[in-house]
Amino acid sequence: MNKLVRAKISALGTYVPPRVMTNRDFEKIVETSDEWIVSRTGIRERHIVDKGVATSDLAVEAAKAALAERGMGPDGIEAIVVATVTPDMLFPSTACLVQHKLGTKGAWGFDLSAACSAFLFGLQTGAQFVATGTHRKVLVIGADVMSSILDYTDRATCILFGDGAGAVILEPAEDDSGIFDFVHEIDGAGACSLYMPGGGSLHPSTHETVDKKMHYVHQDGQSVFKFAVKKMAEVCETLLTRNNVKASDIDCFIPHQANQRIIQATADRLGLRPESVIINIDRYGNTTAGTIPLAMQTAREDGRLKRGDLVLLASVGAGFTVGATLLRWTI
Ligand SMILES: CC(C)(COP(=O)(O)OP(=O)(O)OC[C@H]1O[C@@H](n2cnc3c(N)ncnc32)[C@H](O)[C@@H]1OP(=O)(O)O)[C@@H](O)C(=O)NCCC(=O)NCCS
């Protein structure tokens, strides 16, 4: 067994498709209003792919941006983890498609399914490969084309989500910076609170499953909301306590962007400094596995995430899946 080393994020790249869909656009297709959407969720607009653009396309653009920031070509990447709930196809994995489109030689990889916590689960998975010394460069991508599984006649779900991707490169840290602890949980008791029932082995696609709209996102919004508010704060508290970190020590809190009210409630409960809380849901909606890297990018662009900052990441998603990560920012 090699001595464990800490993994660090050495580059970040993000991508959203150019087409923007505003709340006003939704007013034309479902019974809703800009005022309702903004007050209940914080969302003002989201980016949506054009027909024929898939998750791997977004993932590749984000990966290219990360490689460019690192100043390297695709060949040094040893493993590719694609976190997604909207793979291009059930198989082959989107990781294979990304590897091929990027032209990465000699890499292996796989998809990781954990819905809105998938980026954090992927980050930790990649970090373990680096920690054991078996890998020196792992590409972790969170990418989703949520518009491909939304029912645009269901006002309670279609307004929430957008399409987008983010990618990071993980490498060994030379010092005690980088990713240093995490808390993850899954709770399948919540499986039917947020799910896509059709198209899997339980309900393979048929005319009937399509007629019943089983190939779309189904959600019990209130139970997801309650679980998220409780759990996001809970795992963060556990993580902070066992690392002797006070909420006021956190320079940057980068949560999954599902609902501004969930983020605010978590930040309030933890006692985080308001200026440390990163929110960009107004611009992107919930891009599922894309939200956290997209929010990292927003934080950087706003000058609110700098090298050496103590960063807390947190997520709750379908499953239920729950994650929190503590790291010292390294780029
Ligand atoms: C979806 C969500 C915004 C709904 O907000 P809410 O305050 O819980 O609203 P409710 O579900 O209680 O619905 C209240 C009313 O608004 C209506 N409504 C739902 N969507 C609406 C929309 N887009 N526009 C206008 N009205 C809407 C409902 O039909 C309901 O009407 P009724 O009282 O006549 O039946 C909220 O529950 C939520 O954000 N949940 C978490 C979702 C989430 O984060 N999912 C991803 C997790 S990773």
Side-chain angles (χ1 to χ4, degrees):
M1 183 74 175
N2 296 313
K3 185 175 168 294
L4 293 183
V5 289
R6 219 175 246 189
K8 67 168 187 183
I9 294 174
S10 62
L12 166 69
T14 54
Y15 181 77
V16 289
R19 185 155 67 96
V20 172
M21 200 165 171
T22 65
N23 291 348
R24 296 266 177 236
D25 294 326
F26 277 95
E27 289 178 358
K28 295 174 201 147
I29 59 172
V30 286
E31 186 69 42
T32 191
S33 66
D34 176 55
E35 193 278 327
W36 192 97
I37 300 173
V38 172
S39 63
R40 300 289 178 114
T41 71
I43 301 167
R44 293 182 186 277
E45 59 187 38
R46 67 293 283 147
H47 291 247
I48 302 289
V49 298
D50 288 326
K51 201 170 173 347
V53 177
T55 295
S56 67
D57 299 310
L58 273 50
V60 164
E61 291 307 318
K64 280 182 182 166
L67 290 169
E69 175 168 296
R70 185 66 182 87
M72 64 180 281
D75 280 347
I77 296 296
E78 295 155 332
I80 302 170
V81 182
V82 178
T84 187
V85 78
T86 53
D88 290 25
M89 296 171 259
L90 269 181
F91 71 91
S93 72
T94 305
C96 290
L97 306 175
V98 169
Q99 174 274 326
H100 184 64
K101 288 180 184 179
L102 273 180
T104 314
K105 294 193 192 78
W108 71 293
F110 53 89
D111 289 2
L112 189 151
S113 173
C116 295
S117 299
F119 182 77
L120 288 196
F121 285 19
L123 191 68
Q124 205 48 244
T125 304
Q128 301 302 316
F129 291 130
V130 173
T132 54
T134 57
H135 294 64
R136 293 191 63 81
K137 285 194 175 60
V138 179
L139 181 62
V140 177
I141 308 172
D144 272 299
V145 173
M146 293 305 291
S147 60
S148 66
I149 55 169
L150 291 175
D151 176 1
Y152 281 96
T153 65
D154 175 13
R155 66 179 181 173
T157 53
C158 70
I159 52 106
L160 297 173
F161 297 93
D163 302 335
V168 294
I169 299 172
L170 296 177
E171 299 188 44
E174 304 77 27
D175 47 30
D176 64 353
S177 58
I179 301 167
F180 58 91
D181 200 9
F182 72 100
V183 174
H184 289 171
E185 289 178 18
I186 57 173
D187 181 359
C192 292
S193 296
L194 178 52
Y195 69 140
M196 191 181 94
S201 56
L202 181 60
H203 300 294
S205 302
T206 60
H207 287 294
E208 193 193 354
T209 63
V210 173
D211 288 345
K212 288 183 172 169
K213 301 190 171 192
M214 292 166 76
H215 55 303
Y216 290 135
V217 170
H218 293 248
Q219 174 173 257
D220 172 0
Q222 286 196 5
S223 57
V224 176
F225 190 92
K226 281 184 201 146
F227 185 86
V229 166
K230 180 171 168 285
K231 269 295 176 180
M232 201 183 259
E234 206 174 284
V235 288
C236 288
E237 271 165 356
T238 304
L239 191 59
L240 295 182
T241 305
R242 79 177 184 204
N243 285 280
N244 284 323
V245 172
K246 294 195 294 292
S248 55
D249 296 335
I250 298 296
D251 298 304
C252 205
F253 174 55
I254 306 182
H256 170 56
Q257 310 278 313
N259 186 311
Q260 185 161 336
R261 290 184 296 145
I262 295 173
I263 297 171
Q264 211 52 65
T266 306
D268 291 347
R269 191 169 140 189
L270 291 172
L272 293 164
R273 288 179 291 117
E275 62 274 21
S276 70
V277 180
I278 306 301
I279 297 176
N280 68 359
I281 193 171
D282 51 320
R283 288 155 56 190
Y284 301 121
N286 180 352
T287 56
T288 303
T291 58
I292 289 179
L294 280 166
M296 287 173 169
Q297 194 71 288
T298 295
R300 277 209 308 188
E301 285 165 4
D302 293 352
R304 297 166 66 193
L305 176 58
K306 299 171 296 298
R307 193 187 180 97
D309 278 355
L310 187 58
V311 179
L312 176 64
L313 312 175
S315 67
V316 171
F320 291 116
T321 55
V322 187
T325 296
L326 210 45
L327 60 95
R328 203 162 281 285
W329 191 249
T330 36
I331 46 178

